[in-house]
Amino acid sequence: MLKLKIVSPERVEFIGTVEHVKVPGMRGEFEILTDHAPIISSLQKGTVEYDGQRLDVLGGFVAVQKNEVSICVEMDED
C-alpha cells in the first residue's frame, strides 16, 4: 500500500492509502506502485488516477519515497 497526499493551493484534495497512483508526467503517463523507486517529477495537464478516483489537473509535481507519494497540483476547475 501507498500513503498518498494530494494538495492544491486551495485545499488538501486527498489523504489516504491506495494501491496505485497514475500521474501525467512530462514524458508521458506513469504508474506508481508499492516499493517504487524514489522519484521527483513535474506533471503536465492531465488526470491523476488512484484506486478508481480521477482528478483533472493543469500541472504540478510528484515526489515518491518509501511508499509515500506527495502530489502538489494546480486544479483544472472546468
Side-chain angles (χ1 to χ4, degrees):
M1 295 296 277
L2 299 166
K3 293 180 184 177
L4 174 62
K5 182 175 184 179
I6 304 174
V7 296
S8 70
E10 294 80 28
R11 64 183 171 269
V12 175
E13 302 291 337
F14 179 83
I15 295 179
T17 57
V18 298
E19 293 198 20
H20 62 91
V21 182
K22 198 177 290 186
V23 295
M26 295 304 286
R27 293 188 172 204
E29 185 177 81
F30 65 93
E31 189 168 22
I32 301 161
L33 300 169
T34 302
D35 296 327
H36 194 285
I39 186 173
I40 296 175
S41 177
S42 53
L43 303 177
Q44 64 181 347
K45 183 175 181 176
T47 303
V48 174
E49 299 178 37
Y50 53 96
D51 287 359
Q53 302 295 314
R54 298 172 55 92
L55 191 63
D56 293 328
V57 300
L58 294 175
F61 295 90
V62 60
V64 179
Q65 188 167 5
K66 297 181 182 177
N67 291 322
E68 293 187 12
V69 181
S70 299
I71 304 176
C72 180
V73 295
E74 183 179 346
M75 298 298 298
D76 186 355
E77 298 297 333
D78 291 342

